[in-house]
Amino acid sequence: MKVPTFEDYAHKYDHLTMTRQDGILELRMHAKNDPDQYVTWGFAPHQEMSYALGEIARDRENQCVIITGAADHFIGPIGRPAGGAVPPDRWDAIYQDGKYLLTELLNIEVPVIGAINGPARVHAELGVLSDIVIASENADFADAPHFPDGLVPGDGVHVIWPLILGPNRGRYFLLTGQVLSAREALDLGVVSEVVPQDRLMARARELAREILRRPVLVRRYARVAMTQHLKKLFLDNLGYGLALEGMSAAAQMGLEKK
């Protein structure tokens, strides 16, 4: 069996650019075939990210992973009409990709750094689930595409935000569409550092190089130990939340027909 290498997967995705130096893999989300423009989230990047994270997780040459976005957004506005209506047959694919998206992220067995380079109002959990989360001064955090847009906040945000913010603040955040500035996120423990945007990636790389000073198995097993409880939480709650979200998306189809 030929084990896939970095060269096999690094250049095959339209919405992702990957580079690796000294074992530090940088994963940048961006517009289709345009690494200088932020990604507009939708079915294609959702699917690509779910596959890419699985390949990254299985490549033992990856020693640390940095996840970031392009231009001035971590992830841009979602690319669908308001209202969240999705037919059940289409939701089945989202349900599958949604489970792999977060489980494969947690299956990465090396430290992960989230470098939040701007607004993260869609799938911010892809950044805040990192072991180390740093943000640029222009970043902010919200959950725009779910409850404020007529959908159950069920694709993992219902797990991670009450965990990070606390049960009451987390539910408030999800149900009100609250937007947290970078400084507010720092005060609440969502991020650990706020830096100027032009220093963000340099700081992420500094942290990655510091991590790489530790022995290989110490790095790997520290990540495994610190994500085990998260894996259990998502195993118990992610599929159920996605199913409820899918029901609310299907209900929106009925409202559109009235």
Side-chain angles (χ1 to χ4, degrees), residues 64 74 102 108 111 113 143 165 177 185 188 223:
C64 185
F74 182 68
L102 298 185
I108 296 173
I113 298 171
D143 184 52
L165 295 174
L188 291 169
R223 165 73 172 175

Side-chain angles (χ1 to χ4, degrees), residues 44-255:
H46 188 260
Q47 183 179 61
E48 285 190 3
M49 193 70 166
S50 72
Y51 278 94
L53 291 170
E55 294 186 287
I56 291 168
R58 293 302 302 272
D59 186 349
R60 294 183 66 86
E61 296 301 313
N62 296 325
Q63 301 299 313
C64 185
V65 175
I66 300 172
I67 298 176
T68 193
D72 58 353
H73 282 64
F74 182 68
I75 294 177
I78 199 161
R80 60 165 166 75
V86 181
D89 58 340
R90 191 68 180 271
W91 190 264
D92 181 58
I94 298 174
Y95 171 77
Q96 183 183 59
D97 291 336
K99 287 190 295 182
Y100 281 111
L101 183 68
L102 298 185
T103 55
E104 294 292 17
L105 175 59
L106 293 173
N107 281 339
I108 296 173
E109 293 189 348
V110 295
V112 177
I113 298 171
I116 314 301
N117 59 301
R121 302 185 184 189
V122 178
H123 278 290
E125 74 277 3
L126 292 174
V128 301
L129 269 171
S130 301
D131 304 297
I132 295 176
V133 187
I134 62 174
S136 60
E137 292 173 333
N138 65 311
D140 60 37
F141 299 83
D143 184 52
H146 293 110
F147 199 80
D149 201 25
L151 288 176
V152 171
D155 60 355
V157 297
H158 66 303
V159 177
I160 192 63
W161 286 109
L163 181 66
I164 292 175
L165 295 174
N168 285 356
R169 282 189 304 215
R171 287 178 291 180
Y172 176 90
F173 174 82
L174 293 172
L175 293 176
T176 65
Q178 181 184 21
V179 178
L180 299 174
S181 69
R183 291 293 170 183
E184 289 172 323
L186 179 65
D187 292 341
L188 291 169
V190 177
V191 305
S192 296
E193 296 182 17
V194 175
V195 299
Q197 188 178 33
D198 61 1
R199 278 278 303 148
L200 181 72
M201 291 309 296
R203 179 56 181 152
R205 292 166 189 144
E206 287 175 5
L207 290 164
R209 288 192 294 271
E210 179 65 23
I211 286 170
L212 261 60
R213 294 178 55 196
R214 306 314 187 254
V216 173
L217 292 186
V218 171
R219 300 193 304 259
R220 294 187 68 87
Y221 294 162
R223 165 73 172 175
V224 172
M226 293 189 297
T227 56
Q228 181 63 19
H229 70 294
L230 291 171
K231 288 182 177 181
K232 292 176 69 175
L233 284 172
F234 281 103
L235 179 63
D236 288 343
N237 296 289
L238 181 56
Y240 182 55
L242 280 162
L244 294 175
E245 184 178 345
M247 290 175 65
S248 67
Q252 293 293 338
M253 293 293 296
L255 292 175

